[in-house]
Amino acid sequence: MKLLEISFDNIGIFEKGFNFDLIASDRVLDEDQVYNIYNSIYSQNVVAVTGSNASGKTSLLKLLRIAFKIVVDNAGLDDVDLPEGIIRDGTIMSVVFFNRDSFFKLVSTIGTEEKLGQRKYCFKEEIIYEKKKSEIKSKGSIKNFDKIVLKRSQVEKQKDSFLKSQDSIVSKYSENKLFYDDTIRATNLNIYYNRGNDIMPFVNLFDNSIEYIKSNKDECEIKFKNNDQIIVAKTPETDEYLSSGTIKGSNIFYTIAFIMRTGGYLVIDEIENHIQKKLVQIIIGLFTDKDINKNGATLIFFFFYSEILDNIERKDNIYVLRRDQDFVSNVIKYSDFVDRNDIKKSEVLLSNYIEGTSPNYERINTVKELLCKLVNI
């Protein structure tokens, strides 16, 4: 199964909605960068997302997580962290995915209901459309669906229906064989995962002074090279002995193995946080290496420092968040604004060529003037 497009409408910070496309829209010259699904349709192996502060990156990350958890993990609305104030009564989530030789589109309308005095989210209506792959003649064909194969309202009317209001009907057409993971909770909280000693090459890539780490549910046993002392620490306290980069990096590499085994999805928030540039390049490169990423696993990463983009060869797999003059967040595709691929993408963003991607020159000067006044008081 492959997810190809995620979109939300009638939603908080993104008042105009947004569309997050995982299909390669530009011409494919190097198949290491993408994964072939059918004929000329390819999914991206790497997707990069950037934006200035307060542009909506965290909200976008959480919304993508909702779509992945529902479609990939068949999770219910009670099982995902729905962001308060963003999901509204009447928010529409649409997901296009490929499975069992067909393309499907799930359109879910999310609402609220009162249960035992508590306000809960529920699915008000859902529709699943299908298109056989033989009907797909071009990339544009995936955008238009007209054959309805299942409606939630019809399922709920059946006498033997046990469908809960928080559970999606998509489970009938999706397969729970992919592995999805994200680092949302680990962005500001770094804990070493519990596992054996067979992944030390991952650890030593970040800290070669560690001889071994043995862990269980409650504690970690750590031994450094050229030191006879064995440290035993409670699992939440490993950050006192291991650097943040070692913990985050080894966790990510360990997860990548599971993601690539199934052709799944890994979403990393602030990829450059605690990890040096060269290792970030290595992580990105793993997903564009066909000898390793044989099943077309996808890395979606969020970042601040635009220099990371200079390692991305394609331009149709880059998304930029910005706020317009009405302070409404927008999700835009880099390739819709920039045709050329022979200039540094970092320079495009830092120059504010795509307006709203770099701090305003006048605001910077205002800050400088204020600092001058405060310093000279």
Side-chain angles (χ1 to χ4, degrees):
M1 184 175 75
K2 287 292 177 186
L3 272 66
L4 305 177
E5 182 181 276
I6 298 170
S7 61
F8 278 85
D9 289 295
N10 186 27
I11 187 155
I13 188 173
F14 304 102
E15 290 185 7
K16 299 174 184 177
F18 71 83
N19 183 69
F20 196 84
D21 200 344
L22 295 170
I23 299 174
S25 55
D26 288 355
R27 186 179 177 186
V28 174
L29 299 174
D30 181 3
E31 293 199 3
D32 283 347
Q33 310 294 316
V34 293
Y35 181 77
N36 185 242
I37 294 174
Y38 175 70
N39 283 350
S40 61
I41 299 172
Y42 295 82
S43 63
Q44 304 281 8
N45 287 347
V46 172
V47 180
V49 185
T50 190
S52 58
N53 289 316
S55 60
K57 290 198 301 298
T58 301
S59 297
L60 175 62
L61 192 155
K62 289 181 177 180
L63 291 168
L64 294 178
R65 184 178 192 270
I66 292 169
F68 279 113
K69 294 292 286 184
I70 289 173
V71 178
V72 175
D73 289 346
N74 293 329
L77 292 175
D78 284 346
D79 303 318
V80 296
D81 182 20
L82 293 175
E84 287 288 338
I86 297 178
I87 300 289
R88 297 171 173 170
D89 186 21
T91 290
I92 298 175
M93 177 188 76
S94 300
V95 182
V96 176
F97 61 96
F98 178 77
N99 193 33
R100 305 175 192 168
D101 293 329
S102 288
F103 292 86
F104 296 92
K105 182 175 183 179
L106 167 71
V107 180
S108 301
T109 302
I110 301 173
T112 58
E113 63 181 1
E114 292 290 330
K115 274 193 173 182
L116 301 175
Q118 290 186 329
R119 179 173 170 269
K120 289 195 170 186
Y121 289 102
C122 64
F123 288 109
K124 297 175 71 172
E125 180 61 290
E126 290 187 289
I127 302 174
I128 295 181
Y129 300 85
E130 180 182 11
K131 231 177 190 181
K132 298 293 183 183
K133 68 178 185 180
S134 57
E135 302 176 57
I136 302 296
K137 307 301 180 184
S138 65
K139 297 175 186 176
S141 306
I142 306 175
K143 302 291 182 180
N144 303 310
F145 288 82
D146 48 30
K147 180 185 175 184
I148 298 176
V149 292
L150 192 64
K151 289 188 75 172
R152 183 182 192 88
S153 53
Q154 294 174 347
V155 174
E156 290 176 331
K157 288 179 181 178
Q158 297 173 5
K159 292 182 180 180
D160 58 346
S161 174
F162 294 96
L163 184 64
K164 295 179 180 179
S165 60
Q166 284 78 33
D167 294 339
S168 174
I169 60 174
V170 74
S171 57
K172 186 173 180 180
Y173 293 95
S174 64
E175 294 177 351
N176 194 14
K177 295 181 180 179
L178 297 181
F179 190 86
Y180 166 83
D181 201 3
D182 59 59
T183 66
I184 293 178
R185 295 178 182 175
T187 301
N188 299 310
L189 181 65
N190 237 1
I191 297 177
Y192 186 82
Y193 291 164
N194 298 311
R195 52 190 176 238
N197 197 40
D198 57 341
I199 47 81
M200 283 309 298
F202 295 157
V203 177
N204 291 147
L205 184 62
F206 297 87
D207 188 345
N208 195 38
S209 70
I210 300 173
E211 184 173 328
Y212 69 76
I213 301 177
K214 297 178 182 179
S215 60
N216 55 42
K217 183 179 179 181
D218 301 313
E219 59 186 24
C220 280
E221 185 179 296
I222 306 169
K223 185 179 184 306
F224 289 89
K225 297 175 182 177
N226 300 322
N227 192 328
D228 294 332
Q229 181 184 8
I230 297 175
I231 299 169
V232 179
K234 298 292 184 182
T235 299
E237 299 171 358
T238 51
D239 59 345
E240 295 183 14
Y241 305 96
L242 305 176
S243 72
S244 297
T246 300
I247 295 174
K248 179 179 179 178
S250 57
N251 283 345
I252 287 175
F253 274 84
Y254 183 73
T255 304
I256 286 174
F258 290 93
I259 296 292
M260 289 190 172
R261 189 181 300 170
T262 65
Y265 298 87
L266 175 60
V267 180
I268 301 178
D269 188 20
E270 297 183 16
I271 193 170
E272 73 273 47
N273 191 18
H274 302 306
I275 299 179
Q276 62 169 285
K277 184 178 178 180
K278 181 61 179 178
L279 291 172
V280 170
Q281 292 174 354
I282 291 173
I283 292 171
I284 296 171
L286 291 174
F287 284 84
T288 57
D289 187 332
K290 271 199 167 184
D291 291 332
I292 299 173
N293 190 13
K294 297 178 180 180
N295 298 311
T298 300
L299 168 68
I300 301 173
F301 68 90
F302 290 65
F303 66 100
F304 275 112
Y305 299 126
S306 57
E307 290 80 6
I308 293 175
L309 284 184
D310 296 333
N311 300 304
I312 306 294
E313 293 187 20
R314 299 185 64 84
K315 56 184 175 62
D316 61 343
N317 60 343
I318 300 169
Y319 282 90
V320 180
L321 283 85
R322 65 176 186 177
R323 290 206 177 203
D324 59 24
Q325 294 179 344
D326 297 322
F327 305 103
V328 175
S329 290
N330 294 282
V331 182
I332 62 175
K333 186 181 280 191
Y334 178 93
S335 58
D336 290 341
F337 286 78
V338 183
D339 292 328
R340 295 173 57 185
N341 208 19
D342 59 340
I343 53 178
K344 281 190 174 183
K345 300 178 179 69
S346 60
E347 293 179 358
V348 171
L349 296 186
L350 290 173
S351 67
N352 208 32
Y353 177 82
I354 302 176
E355 190 174 348
T357 58
S358 188
N360 180 276
Y361 180 75
E362 292 179 359
R363 288 199 292 270
I364 293 173
N365 277 342
T366 300
V367 169
K368 288 181 178 179
E369 290 172 4
L370 175 59
L371 283 173
C372 284
K373 290 180 181 178
L374 292 175
V375 169
N376 294 310
I377 288 178

